[in-house]
Amino acid sequence: MTALPIVETQSGDVSAYIPTNVISITDGQIFLSADLFNAGIRPAINVGLSVSRIKLLRIKRGQRLRELLKQSQSDPLAVEDQIATIYTGTNGYLDALEIGQVKKFLVGLRTYLTKKKPKFQEILSKIFTEEAETLLREAIQEQIELFLFYFRNKHKCKWIVFLLFLIQRNPR
């Protein structure tokens, strides 16, 4: 039997009293936020205040997935880019990144796919095949290595990182 009690706190104060029997019959709480809802995030779940028995890793992946779903209303992503973006997040490739790095990485990945793996979009325009998945996986792994190397070492050797960046963008 599943119980889904709904409790409203006074003025959104999560430290307010919640009856003990409500807490004991649930596996956790989901905190819905009016601020998130008004900001256009649906569902408006405040991950930081919600309590659950799922592992922290899944919560962090969820935060990254929410980040990758954000896109401009006036400039939506092409279907091929949406597939690459969602594949990257759902298969754990973004787990090593900070949340603030996700968008920048995905922009770089889409550029890399267009320039270095044009066959990916050609194949994907027909159907998502094993060959398309292999090309996408290769591109993600190559980009994640470069991206993480840059962010881990940018303070140590900026000129080497810059040269690697130039070589990647302008191959001969």
Side-chain angles (χ1 to χ4, degrees):
M1 184 162 106
T2 301
L4 183 62
I6 298 173
V7 178
E8 183 177 358
T9 59
Q10 296 177 351
S11 302
D13 181 9
V14 292
S15 64
Y17 175 74
I18 297 175
T20 307
N21 62 343
V22 171
I23 293 172
S24 66
I25 62 171
T26 63
D27 284 334
Q29 296 84 248
I30 297 174
F31 185 81
L32 301 174
S33 168
D35 292 338
L36 291 174
F37 184 84
N38 293 333
I41 297 174
R42 313 271 192 305
I45 297 172
N46 185 325
V47 179
L49 294 177
S50 297
V51 179
S52 179
R53 294 185 182 170
I54 60 174
K55 295 179 181 177
L56 183 60
L57 182 61
R58 292 186 79 190
I59 291 172
K60 288 184 176 186
R61 181 172 291 174
Q63 290 171 326
R64 284 160 184 77
L65 290 174
R66 185 170 77 180
E67 191 66 26
L68 71 81
L69 291 173
K70 293 179 183 175
Q71 58 180 304
S72 172
Q73 285 183 332
S74 61
D75 189 24
L77 295 175
V79 172
E80 296 86 4
D81 291 337
Q82 290 180 38
I83 291 170
T85 298
I86 292 170
Y87 181 91
T88 304
T90 57
N91 286 286
Y93 290 105
L94 301 176
D95 292 352
L97 304 180
E98 297 295 323
I99 293 169
Q101 297 174 327
V102 169
K103 194 170 207 162
K104 190 171 189 172
F105 171 76
L106 291 172
V107 168
L109 175 64
R110 289 191 290 267
T111 302
Y112 186 80
L113 281 169
T114 302
K115 290 183 178 182
K116 302 285 186 171
K117 308 273 184 187
K119 192 172 183 182
F120 171 74
Q121 292 191 344
E122 177 187 321
I123 295 169
L124 198 58
S125 66
K126 298 171 188 142
I127 191 165
F128 191 70
T129 63
E130 247 183 72
E131 185 180 9
E133 184 175 7
T134 300
L135 286 169
L136 179 57
R137 227 181 295 123
E138 288 172 1
I140 294 168
Q141 289 169 342
E142 292 163 6
Q143 274 301 102
I144 202 85
E145 287 173 16
L146 283 171
F147 190 85
L148 289 174
F149 176 81
Y150 172 77
F151 277 98
R152 289 181 181 143
N153 297 296
K154 68 180 179 180
H155 63 283
K156 295 178 185 174
C157 49
K158 289 183 180 181
W159 64 273
I160 292 174
V161 173
F162 181 69
L163 287 174
L164 286 172
F165 177 75
L166 288 177
I167 290 169
Q168 177 196 3
R169 290 192 61 170
N170 300 312
R172 293 181 187 218

